[in-house]
C-alpha cells in the first residue's frame, strides 16, 4: 500500500551521513522539484543529515515531514506506510545497503542517486532494480543536478 493523500503522490528521500557537501543542496533541490510536480516529499535521514536540512531551510519553506531513517524503514517493513517514489542518496557502501533494503521492502519506484569521488564504482555494486543516477559530484552539485534533471523529466509519469 503506497501512501497517497488526497490523490497526492508521496516520495521518500533517504539521507545518510552528510559527509559529502552536495547531499544537502541536492536534497533541497529534489524536494523543490517534487513539490512543483505535486508530490509530497518525506525526508528520512540520520540526525546530522536532518539537522543540516533544518539549518538550510529554517522557515521550512521546502521541508515538510522529516523522520529518522531507521524509523522510516521500520514503518515500511511493518507495512504501516509506503511511498510512490523513493530517492536514496548514496556516497558509500552503507548507502548502497540502504537502497538495497528499500528495493526489497518497498513498492516505491526506486532511484539511487550516487555522488562523490567513487560514484561510478559504487554504481557497479548495485545489483537490485532501480534507476541509477550517478555523477562524480563532491563540492559542485551541478553534475548530479544535470543527471537528476534528465530523469525528473519523466520520473513522475511512471508508476
Amino acid at each position: 500500500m503506497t501512501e497517497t493523500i488526497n490523490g497526492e503522490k508521496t516520495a521518500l528521500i533517504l539521507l545518510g551521513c552528510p559527509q559529502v557537501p552536495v547531499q544537502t543542496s541536492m536534497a533541497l533541490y529534489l524536494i523543490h522539484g517534487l513539490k512543483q510536480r505535486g508530490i509530497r516529499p518525506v525526508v528520512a535521514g540520520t540526525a546530522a543529515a536532518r539537522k543540516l536540512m533544518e539549518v538550510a531551510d529554517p522557515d521550512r519553506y521546502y521541508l515538510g515531514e522529516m523522520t529518522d531513517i531507521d524509523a522510516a524503514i521500520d514503518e515500511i517493513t511493518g507495512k504501516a506506510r509506503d511511498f510512490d517514489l523513493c530517492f536514496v542518496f548514496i556516497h558509500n557502501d552503507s548507502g548502497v545497503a540502504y537502497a538495497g533494503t528499500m528495493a526489497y521492502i518497498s513498492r516505491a519506484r526506486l532511484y539511487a542517486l550516487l555522488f562523490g569521488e567513487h560514484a561510478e564504482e559504487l554504481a557497479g555494486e548495485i545489483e537490485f532494480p532501480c534507476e541509477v543516477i550517478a555523477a562524480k559530484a563532491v563540492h559542485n552539485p551541478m553534475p548530479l543536478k544535470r543527471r537528476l534533471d534528465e530523469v525528473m523529466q519523466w520520473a513522475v509519469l511512471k508508476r
Side-chain angles (χ1 to χ4, degrees), residues 1-5 8-14 40-44 64-69 71-86 102 105-108 159:
M1 153 189 103
T2 56
E3 182 176 287
T4 303
I5 299 173
E8 181 181 50
K9 286 185 175 186
T10 57
L12 180 64
I13 299 169
L14 287 183
R40 188 171 60 84
V42 174
V43 174
E65 181 182 351
M66 286 203 309
T67 187
D68 177 74
I69 194 168
I73 289 171
D74 288 346
E75 284 186 317
I76 295 167
T77 302
K79 306 285 187 225
R81 185 176 206 184
D82 208 348
F83 298 85
D84 297 296
L85 305 169
C86 179
M102 294 308 298
I105 66 170
S106 176
R107 293 176 24 157
R159 184 80 178 126

Side-chain angles (χ1 to χ4, degrees), residues 21-59:
V22 300
Q23 178 175 273
T24 302
S25 63
M26 285 305 303
L28 285 169
Y29 179 76
L30 175 60
I31 291 167
H32 168 76
L34 291 168
K35 285 181 136 186
Q36 280 191 323
R37 290 164 176 83
I39 299 170
R40 188 171 60 84
V42 174
V43 174
T46 64
R50 291 191 322 269
K51 285 295 177 198
L52 281 172
M53 296 292 286
E54 289 170 349
V55 169
D57 187 16
D59 292 330

Side-chain angles (χ1 to χ4, degrees), residues 91-92 114-125 135-138:
H91 76 280
N92 58 24
L114 296 109
F115 58 98
E117 286 290 326
H118 307 288
E120 294 299 326
E121 295 153 26
L122 284 171
E125 294 180 20
K136 188 175 181 179
V138 177

